[in-house]
Amino acid sequence: GGTALLDAVGRTIDSIGAKLSGMAEADRPARVIVLIMTDGQENASKEYSRDRIREIASIGVTDFADVEFGATPHEIGNTREALKGLLR
């Protein structure tokens, strides 16, 4: 079957953004971390492109630690280290 990974990511970012914008500023979290892991390859998205994902993911972002597309298993260690930095 097909994996519409970019569409899923885009909808998730849009949903989080809508939820946050509906909250009072004092109630919003200081940081939102989204981790996406999949065993599928992007091959079916119709609504979102990689460029559109990068665009909407960067709205309001002041500390963009890592945006990784196409990580392979050996790169997961690097991603893990980046996440540790975010969670400190």
Side-chain angles (χ1 to χ4, degrees):
T3 301
L5 184 58
L6 295 175
D7 286 351
V9 171
R11 288 184 196 123
T12 299
I13 293 170
D14 284 345
S15 175
I16 292 169
K19 182 174 182 174
L20 293 174
S21 68
M23 298 171 73
E25 189 170 342
D27 295 332
R28 290 183 198 147
R31 180 178 288 162
V32 175
I33 298 172
V34 178
L35 173 65
I36 300 158
M37 298 179 73
T38 181
D39 64 351
Q41 292 183 354
E42 165 55 55
N43 60 10
S45 290
K46 298 192 183 335
E47 187 176 348
Y48 293 85
S49 66
R50 287 176 186 254
D51 288 340
R52 179 69 180 134
I53 295 297
R54 285 187 181 101
E55 179 185 324
I56 64 173
S58 65
I59 295 171
V61 174
T62 57
D63 183 14
F64 218 162
D66 190 49
V67 174
E68 182 79 35
F69 283 106
T72 61
H74 74 275
E75 295 170 324
I76 290 174
N78 295 332
T79 303
R80 186 179 304 133
E81 291 305 311
L83 287 171
K84 284 182 185 176
L86 281 173
L87 297 173
R88 286 187 199 143

